[in-house]
Amino acid sequence: MNLNPFNWFRSQEVATSSQEFSELFAPRESTSGENITLSNAMKISTVFSCIRVLSETTGSLPIHLYEYNSKNNKKSKAYTHNLYDILNLEPNKDMTSVTFWEVCIAHLCLNGNFYAQIIKSRAGKILELVPLLATNVTKYRLEDDSIIFTYNNGKHTYEFKQDEIFEVIGFSKDGWSGMSPIEYQRDSLGLSKSAENYGSRFFKNNATPPIAVKIPQTLNDEQYKRLKKSWQKAHSGENAHKVALLEGGADITSIGLSNSDSQFLETRQFQKSEICGMYRVPPHLVADLSKSSFNNISEQSQELVKYTLQPYINRIEKSIKKQLLSKEERKKYYAKFNVDGLLRGDIQSRFNAYNIGRNMGVYSANEIREKEDMNPIKDGDTYLVPLNMTEQKDNNEAE
C-alpha cells in the first residue's frame, strides 16, 4: 500500500501517531538497572551536547551541487540543476537545509540510520526530501533481490520502493544497516544515568547525608510519628541546615557517606569522557576543560572536522551521488559540503598560508578573496609563477 506523498507527512494525526508509536519500543535495562531508550538517552546532558555539536555544526555547513567539465578540468556550481536548491536551501516546504541536515545527523547519532522519502513529479524529477522517523522504518530484501522499505506510523504500514527512499547508513558491521550508538553503549549510558539520578536525589535532600537521631527512651508509634513530622518540618526545604534543637537527651549521628567518599564527582567526570569518546567529540565542546589548554583547543577543533564530521559528511555525499543522481549525471555532478570555514585558523595563520599558495601559483587573488567572503577584483583571476622555477625535464632530456 503506497501513501499519497503530498498528504501523509504533514497530517497532524499521523505525526502524533508516529511519535506515540516510537515510544512503543520496549526499553531495555542496562546492567546498572537503568532503562535506556533513544528518547531518554538524550536526557543525559553529555549525550545531548555531543549530538547537538555534531548536528548543528553539520547543519551550518553549506552544501553545493557541482558540475565537472571534463574538457577544461574545471568545476562550477550547478545552479540550474533541480537538486541544487533542494540540498542547499529547501529540501521540502516545511524545512530549511539547516534543519534537514541537523535531523539527518541526529538520526545517525541515535539510531544509526537516516531515511527520507523522495517525492518526485510525474516526470521523475525530484521535488522534495521528507525525513522519516528512523525507528519506524524497516528495510527488506525480496526474493527477486529488490529492496523495499516499510514505514509504520502506529496505525498503518506503508511500503516504498528503493528509489523512493533516500538512505544514509551510519557505522555498520554488515553494510545493510547502521549500528545505533545508544544500543551498543547501553551499559555505559546506564551508568551515566545512574550517576545523574544519584546526584539529583543527593541535592534534592539538600546534599546532606542521612542522619540518625538517638532517643534514650523507647517511643510508641504516636510519639515516633510526631517526632518524625516535627523534625522534617523544622529541617527540610527552606529550613535545611538550620541549627537543630534537641531535648530529652537526644543525639544526632551521621550514617551516610560523603560525596567524596562515594567518588561521585570522579564517576561523573569519567562518564562524560566516555560519552565524548563514543561520539568522538572534543571534550571542550561539551564544557569539559579538564584536559584542554589554549595550546591544544585549536588542534582539537581541527580534529573535530577531520576525524568526526568528515565520516558523516562523506557518507552523505556518497549517498546523494548514488541515490539522487542518475548514472549519466554521476559522471559530471557531485555534492560537496564546504568545511573551509571550520578549518580556518587565526587570521595570521590564514594569510601566511594564502601568501605561500599565491606565490606558488596555487591560488589567484580572487580565489583567496572568495575564501574570505570578499568581492572579486578586476584582473584577480591570474596566477603567479616564480621566476626562479622552471619545468622539470626527465633525465634523458637533461643529458
Side-chain angles (χ1 to χ4, degrees):
M1 175 181 179
N2 288 321
L3 226 54
N4 183 338
F6 295 97
N7 295 327
W8 75 269
F9 180 77
R10 299 181 178 98
S11 167
Q12 184 62 41
E13 179 184 357
V14 171
T16 302
S17 300
S18 299
Q19 183 178 2
E20 293 173 351
F21 180 78
S22 65
E23 297 298 327
L24 294 177
F25 287 89
R28 290 180 53 189
E29 190 175 275
S30 64
T31 53
S32 67
E34 296 289 340
N35 289 325
I36 299 297
T37 64
L38 298 185
S39 57
N40 69 17
M42 285 284 284
K43 295 180 180 179
I44 301 174
S45 59
T46 308
V47 173
F48 179 86
S49 298
C50 286
I51 294 179
R52 185 178 179 185
V53 166
L54 298 178
S55 299
E56 292 184 343
T57 303
T58 305
S60 68
L61 296 175
I63 177 173
H64 301 290
L65 187 71
Y66 290 94
E67 181 178 2
Y68 177 73
N69 190 331
S70 58
K71 294 182 179 180
N72 54 16
N73 292 327
K74 289 186 177 181
K75 67 175 183 179
S76 59
K77 294 177 181 176
Y79 293 112
T80 58
H81 197 288
N82 66 295
L83 266 184
Y84 187 90
D85 283 343
I86 292 176
L87 298 177
N88 188 54
L89 180 63
E90 188 180 8
N92 56 72
K93 72 176 186 180
D94 297 321
M95 296 180 179
T96 64
S97 60
V98 174
T99 304
F100 182 86
W101 297 119
E102 282 180 351
V103 171
C104 174
I105 299 300
H107 281 210
L108 291 175
C109 290
L110 288 169
N111 189 74
N113 299 281
F114 171 72
Y115 305 98
Q117 183 187 5
I118 303 173
I119 298 177
K120 300 179 181 179
S121 66
R122 295 184 181 274
K125 180 180 178 181
I126 296 177
L127 302 176
E128 291 185 277
L129 297 175
V130 182
L132 303 174
L133 283 172
T135 51
N136 297 6
V137 176
T138 306
K139 182 180 178 182
Y140 297 94
R141 185 183 295 277
L142 303 181
E143 292 182 358
D144 62 359
D145 207 36
S146 63
I147 294 175
I148 64 168
F149 297 85
T150 60
Y151 183 84
N152 191 313
N153 67 4
K155 293 184 178 180
H156 306 285
T157 299
Y158 303 96
E159 182 180 301
F160 298 96
K161 297 179 182 178
Q162 186 175 9
D163 61 357
E164 295 175 319
I165 294 292
F166 173 62
E167 175 188 29
V168 181
I169 299 175
F171 177 66
S172 174
K173 62 181 180 181
D174 57 12
W176 176 255
S177 62
M179 300 166 61
S180 167
I182 304 301
E183 176 72 24
Y184 280 86
Q185 297 297 317
R186 187 180 302 277
D187 290 340
S188 178
L189 296 175
L191 178 58
S192 181
K193 191 68 176 176
S194 294
E196 277 195 358
N197 290 338
Y198 169 81
S200 298
R201 292 191 299 268
F202 186 83
F203 287 101
K204 181 180 180 181
N205 294 323
N206 304 301
T208 304
I211 61 173
V213 179
K214 293 182 178 180
I215 307 295
Q217 68 270 18
T218 302
L219 302 177
N220 57 38
D221 289 345
E222 184 178 349
Q223 289 173 324
Y224 172 77
K225 292 178 181 179
R226 180 182 59 82
L227 179 61
K228 181 180 178 181
K229 182 178 180 180
S230 175
W231 177 270
Q232 290 178 341
K233 181 178 179 181
H235 299 287
S236 63
E238 295 180 355
N239 296 321
H241 308 298
K242 289 187 176 181
V243 177
L245 299 178
L246 304 176
E247 58 183 346
D251 188 20
I252 294 179
T253 302
S254 175
I255 61 173
L257 296 176
S258 68
N259 240 6
S260 177
D261 292 337
S262 62
Q263 296 183 335
F264 168 71
L265 295 178
E266 289 83 353
T267 300
R268 290 279 286 150
Q269 183 62 44
F270 176 74
Q271 288 307 117
K272 179 178 287 189
S273 299
E274 270 211 334
I275 295 173
C276 285
M278 184 173 92
Y279 286 110
R280 285 191 302 196
V281 171
H284 74 273
L285 292 177
V286 296
D288 179 6
L289 300 177
S290 58
K291 296 183 180 179
S292 298
S293 66
F294 289 108
N295 295 327
N296 66 10
I297 279 184
S298 177
E299 182 178 345
Q300 289 180 21
S301 298
Q302 303 276 325
E303 291 175 351
L304 172 70
V305 179
K306 296 178 182 178
Y307 306 120
T308 306
L309 293 181
Q310 201 63 48
Y312 287 107
I313 289 173
N314 283 341
R315 286 188 177 96
I316 294 172
E317 291 172 348
K318 294 296 189 296
S319 297
I320 291 172
K321 189 166 187 175
K322 179 178 183 294
Q323 301 172 38
L324 303 183
L325 294 172
S326 66
K327 289 185 178 180
E328 192 64 29
E329 288 178 319
R330 294 174 201 166
K331 298 177 182 178
K332 61 177 181 177
Y333 293 105
Y334 64 94
K336 189 172 183 61
F337 283 91
N338 187 349
V339 298
D340 288 348
L342 297 178
L343 292 172
R344 292 196 306 182
D346 60 87
I347 189 168
Q348 182 177 354
S349 300
R350 294 203 313 273
F351 276 81
N352 284 338
Y354 293 153
N355 184 54
I356 295 173
R358 176 74 168 135
N359 291 331
M360 289 178 59
V362 176
Y363 294 134
S364 68
N366 281 340
E367 287 173 336
I368 295 174
R369 294 177 67 86
E370 183 181 2
K371 290 179 178 294
E372 291 295 318
D373 296 322
M374 301 172 68
N375 293 326
I377 59 175
K378 185 179 180 181
D379 300 327
D381 294 322
T382 58
Y383 295 86
L384 301 179
V385 179
L387 294 176
N388 61 341
M389 297 178 68
T390 59
E391 182 178 356
Q392 182 180 3
K393 299 180 179 180
D394 59 32
N395 294 333
N396 294 330
E397 290 185 25
E399 293 176 356

